[in-house]
Amino acid sequence: MSTNEEVIRELYAVAEVASLNAERFVDLFASDGYFLDMATGQKWTGAEVRQPIEGLGSIFPDLHRELLKVYSAADGVVVVELRLQGTHAGDFPTPGGVLRATGKRFDVPCCDVFVVEQGKVKSFHCYNMRSVWLSQLGDGNG
């Protein structure tokens, strides 16, 4: 069986837009596992977890997650410090409305917290700096 860190590293690898494998992404989650975007409160459970990675790929076709540090803790907790990087090439829904493609690059700090049980992701909490992201894309409401 893979270590918890190996499970999470694979999750990031299959979520890369350049080599996206949404089926494998879903397979790495427990059947009741979920993905929660803390910045917006949006939550996806089960097979729905594919939606945010597919959606971001259509808006940011070169989206990359640069993993800075990976911390494995007790009780299956894995914490990842990372940066979200890419180019804004599609319409981006925001609380203030849709931000039309700007062509701008972004580099946004993020922290993801996972709980892994028996080799499957039970929970994925994504703490991205949405205000920084929107500011870099040129939305004055960031």
Side-chain angles (χ1 to χ4, degrees):
M1 182 185 291
S2 299
T3 67
N4 294 337
E5 181 176 334
E6 289 169 338
V7 170
I8 298 309
R9 287 185 181 277
E10 181 180 358
L11 189 79
Y12 283 113
V14 300
E16 281 293 302
V17 172
S19 58
L20 180 62
N21 184 339
E23 290 304 318
R24 181 64 182 145
F25 187 84
V26 171
D27 289 344
L28 288 166
F29 279 79
S31 60
D32 61 345
Y34 68 89
F35 178 163
L36 177 60
D37 178 42
M38 300 303 288
T40 65
Q42 290 183 281
K43 182 178 181 180
W44 302 269
T45 304
E48 295 174 348
V49 298
R50 72 182 311 124
Q51 293 175 5
I53 64 164
E54 289 176 333
L56 287 175
S58 66
I59 300 167
F60 309 108
D62 61 348
L63 180 65
H64 170 67
R65 294 160 185 88
E66 180 185 354
L67 306 186
L68 303 174
K69 299 232 183 209
V70 179
Y71 306 92
S72 291
D75 299 327
V77 174
V78 178
V79 178
V80 181
E81 290 182 82
L82 66 149
R83 301 192 73 78
L84 302 174
Q85 301 165 331
T87 306
H88 183 203
D91 293 346
F92 189 28
T94 73
V98 174
L99 179 59
R100 301 287 176 217
T102 62
K104 292 183 178 179
R105 299 250 335 127
F106 61 89
D107 184 356
V108 178
C110 186
C111 181
D112 293 337
V113 180
F114 299 89
V115 173
V116 180
E117 292 179 359
Q118 299 177 344
K120 298 284 187 173
V121 175
K122 284 291 277 186
S123 66
F124 170 7
H125 292 191
C126 176
Y127 296 84
N128 64 75
M129 297 291 296
R130 192 168 179 93
S131 61
V132 172
W133 203 346
L134 293 175
S135 177
Q136 289 181 10
L137 297 180
D139 179 8
N141 299 318

